Amino acid sequence: MTDEDAELVALIDNELDEVAKGRLLTRLTANEALRKRYEELRAAGAPIAAAFDALVEKAPLPRLRAALPPPSAPRTSSGPFAGITLRELAACIVSFLLGAGAAAWIAMSVAPAGEHEDWRAAVVGYTNLYTNETFSPLHPDAALQAAELSAVGERVGAHLAPNNVALPALRFTVAFMLSFQGSPLGAIAYVDAQGAPVLLCIINNQSRDAPIRSERRGELSLASWSRGGRGYLVIGHIPEERAAGLARTLEEKV
């Protein structure tokens, strides 16, 4: 984000003092290109809010609330996004994903032995929460992509960079960390042209080497393999053959 964009976002979030606000409003009056950029940034907040609403609507809220720590103090805002800035809304998306994932791990960890499945089942659980609006508002620049992938790769012990996780007809949106039974688990989220999410998950759990195998679990297709002590999983609302093809592409590069 440029300094000019940061100033415009601060205006949108009502974070400028009166002097700075007056100067910027004067520039907006005289500069058509700056006004256009201002409107673009204002419009960017709408899909982010819609994505967060979609997650909240679909999430099993009672179970998530029971699994996550309660807030330290009650909220006093009158609306669902009152007091939340444009930049904070973007952060809320990723924070909610992490919270939903954490709740899924907790639920799996305390399940009775007869219900306890492998880490893929936990991934299936939270992937079912995602919609076409979950990740599509996220457009990280090259530097942020590289930083996120490097951080996740360091945790799971794999070399991750934009060039070796790129997939045909899919756009990178975000990479973030979770944990399953003490093992670090990284998730890389992509979207297709319609915004449909596809995830690559990598867990460092000392898995034995295993070839790619694909399967269907409900409406999701999974393709998984293991190598070098790590488990890999491609998952999404895509045909099983497509998931297996993406897994073969990644197996050669990651």
Side-chain angles (χ1 to χ4, degrees):
M1 179 181 290
T2 66
D3 290 342
E4 191 170 76
D5 281 355
E7 191 174 11
L8 291 172
V9 170
L11 175 64
I12 294 167
D13 291 341
N14 196 28
E15 294 178 346
L16 294 178
D17 60 41
E18 291 303 316
V19 174
K21 182 187 296 185
R23 284 200 301 262
L24 185 52
L25 290 175
T26 300
R27 290 171 57 204
L28 284 168
T29 302
N31 189 326
E32 183 178 353
L34 190 63
R35 287 198 306 273
K36 182 179 179 181
R37 183 58 178 158
Y38 171 75
E39 293 300 330
E40 289 174 348
L41 290 171
R42 282 187 61 191
I48 293 174
F52 191 76
D53 276 336
L55 276 174
V56 172
E57 181 179 351
K58 193 171 182 181
L61 292 179
R63 194 161 70 248
L64 293 180
R65 288 184 181 126
L68 296 173
S72 57
R75 296 185 180 185
T76 58
S77 57
S78 57
F81 294 104
I84 300 179
T85 68
L86 177 63
R87 284 169 289 186
E88 288 169 336
L89 274 173
C92 281
I93 294 292
V94 177
S95 296
F96 186 85
L97 302 181
L98 298 179
W105 304 150
I106 293 169
M108 288 297 298
S109 298
V110 300
E115 300 176 10
H116 193 97
E117 298 186 59
D118 62 8
W119 65 277
R120 299 169 192 82
V123 173
V124 168
Y126 77 78
T127 302
N128 276 318
L129 298 176
Y130 300 153
T131 72
N132 287 22
E133 292 76 34
T134 303
F135 299 107
S136 54
L138 305 178
H139 293 266
D141 59 26
L144 182 56
Q145 290 183 39
E148 290 180 354
L149 288 168
S150 176
V152 170
E154 184 176 350
R155 292 290 308 281
V156 299
H159 173 64
L160 302 178
N163 63 323
N164 73 338
V165 300
L167 289 172
L170 293 175
R171 176 175 64 83
F172 173 94
T173 61
V174 67
F176 53 95
M177 283 301 305
L178 299 167
S179 177
F180 181 76
Q181 295 184 349
S183 297
L185 190 153
I188 302 170
Y190 309 82
V191 294
D192 65 13
Q194 289 71 45
V198 175
L199 270 68
L200 166 63
C201 298
I202 306 172
I203 188 169
N204 190 337
N205 62 351
Q206 303 306 309
S207 302
R208 294 182 179 178
D209 287 4
I212 294 173
R213 66 180 181 91
S214 63
E215 60 180 302
R216 292 282 296 179
R217 297 199 188 186
E219 298 180 355
L220 293 167
S221 291
L222 290 72
S224 59
W225 71 102
S226 299
R227 188 181 64 223
R230 291 178 294 276
Y232 299 81
L233 172 66
V234 172
I235 182 170
H237 292 276
I238 54 177
E240 186 176 340
E241 296 79 8
R242 169 75 165 148
L246 294 173
R248 286 191 292 269
T249 297
L250 288 165
E251 185 184 30
E252 296 174 356
K253 300 191 299 181
V254 178

